[in-house]
């Protein structure tokens, strides 16, 4: 069955004005073309500006890349300098302090005075001991030539005694020989006298000779016997004299031997005594020098120029040897320690120029690389890392680089140790 549709009228009415076409107005369309042309030119100008910006950015990037290849920089850096701790070498009491914190001093300026009374007394005592030691040395030193002369004289005297004793023995032996000859001669005379007395005794019994003649032979025999006894006694005395002379000779020879053997030891003993006295003099001189130095140490002066800091010395305080009284920062010899990453050191060498920007002064200084550190900061720390545990994590390490500041630059006197800086080292040509 076919379906029928009904045509309904629209719910609104179409007016005549709605069916009219719009009027063509050339002026209006001409203005719209001009406006669209302005928009195009603006777009072109914007695109041109964008292109220029991109080109400038690319050029800046290339320039920065070329610059970065020639320079290495870091902000992990600071100014360093020597800090000289000033202490006392002796015990003492502070009687005067000449400086205060942040005061500038020159080398040789007075810093602190200690009470010198005890050290002056020690110096006077040492000088007295030195005078005494020198007096002993002066009195003992001439003994050496005296001992030499004495030893030579003793030897000569002993030789003379030996010679005299030998001469005495020879004389005694000659006297003995003479006495022996007298004994022989007297024995012969006595034998003849005794023989004559015996013969004449027989004759007197026969009354062949007179009594008086016999008495003469008897007396002669007695005289010869007595002479023989005297000669024998003289011979015995001569022998005893020889023994005495020989004993004297032995004694003289012993004395000569003793003089020869004791001469050198006596000289050596005296020399040793003099050497000991000389050692005493040197010890006394050293003691005097030590006392004089201790007296000088009571006046503490600045060994270097710089700025005083950490002053702890106070008048009346008792200080011990080695105690620190203050510190001097040597601002005249400063350098920069820059902790560069190990990846930045590929082309870095000593002698390369550097520019150092100081934050506190907001200005740059010139310098040059002086040395590259011998190890990383972690290795040189008190507790270096232990990577043998198996939990190793690779971290880029830093190595200290010492940068020397050029001398004669304006403003160097305003730098202080510890200031933060940003060095830039030129590593390329």
């Amino acid at each position: 069955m076919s379906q029928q549709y009904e045509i309904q009228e629209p719910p609104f009415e179409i007016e005549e004005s709605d069916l009219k076409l719009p009027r063509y107005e050339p002026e209006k369309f001409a203005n719209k073309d001009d406006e669209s042309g302005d928009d195009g030119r603006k777009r072109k100008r914007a695109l041109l500006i964008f292109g220029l910006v991109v080109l400038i950015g690319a050029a800046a990037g290339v320039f920065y890349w070329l610059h970065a290849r020639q320079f290495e920089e870091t902000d992990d850096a600071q100014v360093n300098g020597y800090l000289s701790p000033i202490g006392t070498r002796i015990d003492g009491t502070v009687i005067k302090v000449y400086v205060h914190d942040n005061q500038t001093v020159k080398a040789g300026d007075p810093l602190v005075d200690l009470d010198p009374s005890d050290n002056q007394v020690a110096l006077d005592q040492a000088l007295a001991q030195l005078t005494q030691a020198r007096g002993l040395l002066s009195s003992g030193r001439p003994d050496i030539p005296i001992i030499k002369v004495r030893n030579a004289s003793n030897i000569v005297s002993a030789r003379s005694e030996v010679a005299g004793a030998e001469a005495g023995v020879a004389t005694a032996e000659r006297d003995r020989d003479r006495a022996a000859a007298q004994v022989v001669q007297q024995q012969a005379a006595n034998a003849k006298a005794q023989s004559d007395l015996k013969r004449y005794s027989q004759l007197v019994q026969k009354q062949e000779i007179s009594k008086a003649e016999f008495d003469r032979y008897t007396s002669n025999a007695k005289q010869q016997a007595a002479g023989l006894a005297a000669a024998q006694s003289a011979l015995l005395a001569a022998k005893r004299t020889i023994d005495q002379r020989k004993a004297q000779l032995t004694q003289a020879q012993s004395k000569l031997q003793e003089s020869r053997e004791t001469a050198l030891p006596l000289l050596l003993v005296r020399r040793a005594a003099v050497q000991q006295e000389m050692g005493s003099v040197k010890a006394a001189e050293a003691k005097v020098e030590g006392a004089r130095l201790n007296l000088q140490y009571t006046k503490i002066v600045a060994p270097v120029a710089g700025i005083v800091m950490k002053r702890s010395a106070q008048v009346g305080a008792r200080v011990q040897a080695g105690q620190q009284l203050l510190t001097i920062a040597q601002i005249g010899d400063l350098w920069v320690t820059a902790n560069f990453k190990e990846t930045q050191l590929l082309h870095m060498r000593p002698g390369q120029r550097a520019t150092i920007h100081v934050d506190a002064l907001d200005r740059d200084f010139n310098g040059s690389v002086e040395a590259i550190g011998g190890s990383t900061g972690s290795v040189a720390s008190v507790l270096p890392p232990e990577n043998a545990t198996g939990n190793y994590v690779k971290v880029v390490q830093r190595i200290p680089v010492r940068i020397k500041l050029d001398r004669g630059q304006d403003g160097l006197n305003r730098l202080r140790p510890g200031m933060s800086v940003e060095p830039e080292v030129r590593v390329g040509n």
Side-chain angles (χ1 to χ4, degrees):
M1 182 176 72
S2 63
Q3 185 176 1
Q4 296 180 355
Y5 297 94
E6 295 180 357
I7 300 174
Q8 297 179 356
E9 295 181 357
F12 56 86
E13 296 180 357
I14 299 175
E15 297 180 358
E16 183 179 359
S17 60
D18 294 333
L19 298 176
K20 293 181 180 179
L21 295 174
R23 178 186 290 182
Y24 174 72
E25 297 177 354
E27 296 81 2
K28 185 176 181 180
F29 284 104
N31 292 336
K32 287 183 179 179
D33 293 338
D34 293 339
E35 290 178 359
S36 63
D38 292 339
D39 292 339
R41 283 193 294 273
K42 289 181 179 178
R43 284 195 297 270
K44 290 180 179 179
R45 187 180 299 111
L47 290 174
L48 179 61
I49 293 174
F50 177 75
L52 290 176
V53 170
V54 172
L55 182 61
I56 293 173
V62 172
F63 177 77
Y64 176 78
W65 179 74
L66 294 176
H67 178 275
R69 290 182 60 188
Q70 296 180 354
F71 294 90
E72 294 290 352
E73 60 183 12
T74 181
D75 58 358
D76 187 358
Q78 66 178 8
V79 178
N80 277 338
Y82 292 112
L83 302 179
S84 300
I86 308 301
T88 172
R89 298 186 180 185
I90 58 174
D91 300 342
T93 302
V94 178
I95 61 175
K96 193 168 185 179
V97 181
Y98 296 91
V99 296
H100 52 78
D101 283 340
N102 303 324
Q103 177 178 341
T104 301
V105 295
K106 301 186 297 295
D109 287 350
L111 300 177
V112 179
D113 282 350
L114 304 180
D115 187 2
S117 302
D118 296 339
N119 301 99
Q120 183 63 52
V121 171
L123 177 59
D124 295 338
Q125 183 179 4
L127 287 172
Q129 293 177 353
L130 175 60
T131 302
Q132 183 179 3
R134 285 176 175 173
L136 292 175
L137 178 60
S138 299
S139 62
R141 181 173 289 174
D143 288 347
I144 294 178
I146 292 175
I147 290 176
K148 288 182 178 180
V149 174
R150 185 182 301 167
N151 289 338
S153 177
N154 290 338
I155 292 175
V156 171
S157 177
R159 286 177 178 174
S160 299
E161 291 181 3
V162 169
E166 290 176 346
V169 170
T171 301
E173 289 178 346
R174 287 195 299 271
D175 293 342
R176 181 201 59 188
D177 296 339
R178 189 180 301 110
Q182 290 291 335
V183 168
V184 172
Q185 183 180 0
Q186 197 63 37
Q187 286 177 345
N190 181 58
K192 182 177 182 302
Q194 297 302 326
S195 176
D196 290 342
L197 177 60
K198 184 177 180 181
R199 187 173 60 253
Y200 284 102
S201 297
Q202 295 176 357
L203 294 176
V204 77
Q205 290 177 359
K206 295 178 180 182
Q207 297 181 353
E208 292 180 357
I209 60 173
S210 62
K211 181 67 174 174
E213 187 178 0
F214 177 74
D215 292 337
R216 186 174 66 252
Y217 282 105
T218 300
S219 175
N220 183 43
K222 291 180 179 180
Q223 289 178 357
Q224 295 300 327
L228 176 59
Q232 290 175 345
S233 298
L235 177 59
L236 181 61
K239 290 180 179 180
R240 290 177 179 175
T241 300
I242 290 175
D243 294 337
Q244 292 176 355
R245 295 291 185 271
K246 287 183 177 181
Q248 292 176 356
L249 175 60
T250 302
Q251 184 178 0
Q253 290 175 342
S254 299
K255 186 177 180 180
L256 176 60
Q257 184 68 21
E258 181 181 359
S259 298
R260 287 174 174 174
E261 292 179 354
T262 58
L264 182 59
L266 289 175
L267 184 60
L268 293 178
V269 169
R270 184 64 262 179
R271 282 180 177 174
V274 171
Q275 291 293 333
Q276 184 177 1
E277 292 168 358
M278 292 176 63
S280 299
V281 170
K282 290 186 178 297
E285 290 176 347
K287 191 172 182 180
V288 168
E289 186 63 22
R292 185 175 287 111
L293 288 175
N294 288 338
L295 184 60
Q296 293 178 0
Y297 294 154
T298 58
K299 295 185 178 297
I300 303 174
V301 298
V304 294
I307 297 178
V308 176
M309 54 186 293
K310 296 182 180 179
R311 195 202 89 170
S312 61
Q314 300 295 336
V315 175
R318 182 69 180 177
V319 295
Q320 305 294 325
Q323 181 176 342
Q324 184 174 341
L325 304 179
L326 52 93
T327 300
I328 296 179
Q330 301 182 42
I331 62 173
D333 185 16
L334 301 177
W335 68 91
V336 171
T337 300
N339 298 304
F340 284 97
K341 295 179 181 179
E342 56 185 335
T343 55
Q344 295 178 287
L345 301 179
L346 177 60
H347 302 291
M348 193 170 295
R349 300 290 186 272
Q352 292 173 339
R353 300 299 298 170
T355 302
I356 302 97
H357 179 77
V358 181
D359 297 343
L361 306 179
D362 193 21
R363 59 170 297 177
D364 294 340
F365 292 90
N366 296 323
S368 60
V369 177
E370 185 175 6
I372 300 176
S375 67
T376 63
S378 59
V379 172
S381 64
V382 178
L383 298 175
E386 179 57 60
N387 297 327
T389 59
N391 298 324
Y392 173 68
V393 177
K394 183 177 180 180
V395 178
V396 177
Q397 301 296 318
R398 291 182 179 268
I399 296 179
V401 176
R402 178 165 174 156
I403 300 176
K404 181 180 179 181
L405 295 167
D406 294 343
R407 296 188 179 275
Q409 300 183 78
D410 184 26
L412 284 178
N413 58 338
R414 300 179 61 189
L415 296 179
R416 296 294 183 270
M419 283 185 172
S420 297
V421 297
E422 295 180 3
E424 184 181 61
V425 180
R426 185 180 183 92
V427 296
N429 296 327

